[in-house]
Amino acid sequence: QVQLVESGGGLVQAGGSLRLSCAASGRTFSSYAMGWFRQAPGKEREFVAAISWNGGRRYFADSVKGRSTISRDNAKNTVTLQMNSLKPEDTAIYYCAAAQNEYATMLTRDYKSWGQGTQVTVSS
């Protein structure tokens, strides 16, 4: 089992930036891919970004592509999501998740372990 703890959320003005971090413990961190998802009030949880076990593959949702980056540090067991040019529609609870294997995927069902989430609020 993997335990995940997110940090870095908060309130930011439109056009600003946030850096979300996720610390993992449990299974060997380099043995699985990591993803970020988000859920806005009244909406389904949706994919944001994912990174394979060694960072060799990265995927982004169209809604954040070009203004977000995802990285991981296998020595520190952390994954980071940098979001720039934030928009009010980015407001949501952001969750990091650990995949079942080393391959990055955009599918919620492929992620076994989830953090408790961190709130991101973007004001207009």
Side-chain angles (χ1 to χ4, degrees), residues 14-95:
S17 298
L18 274 179
R19 187 178 180 87
L20 306 181
S21 295
C22 176
S25 60
R27 281 169 56 202
T28 301
F29 187 66
S30 58
S31 67
Y32 51 89
M34 292 293 296
W36 284 94
F37 292 77
R38 67 186 182 187
Q39 188 166 18
K43 294 189 176 181
E44 298 281 323
R45 189 170 298 190
E46 65 176 7
F47 169 77
V48 177
I51 185 167
S52 61
W53 70 279
N54 63 352
R57 291 195 180 271
R58 306 174 197 216
Y59 301 104
F60 296 91
D62 288 343
S63 57
V64 303
K65 197 175 293 182
R67 55 191 186 93
S68 297
T69 59
I70 185 171
S71 60
R72 65 188 294 159
D73 185 334
N74 286 348
K76 295 182 179 179
N77 292 0
T78 58
V79 61
T80 299
L81 178 68
Q82 175 73 39
M83 300 186 66
N84 304 316
S85 303
L86 285 162
K87 307 174 183 180
E89 49 265 43
D90 292 319
T91 295
I93 298 174
Y94 283 70
Y95 300 90

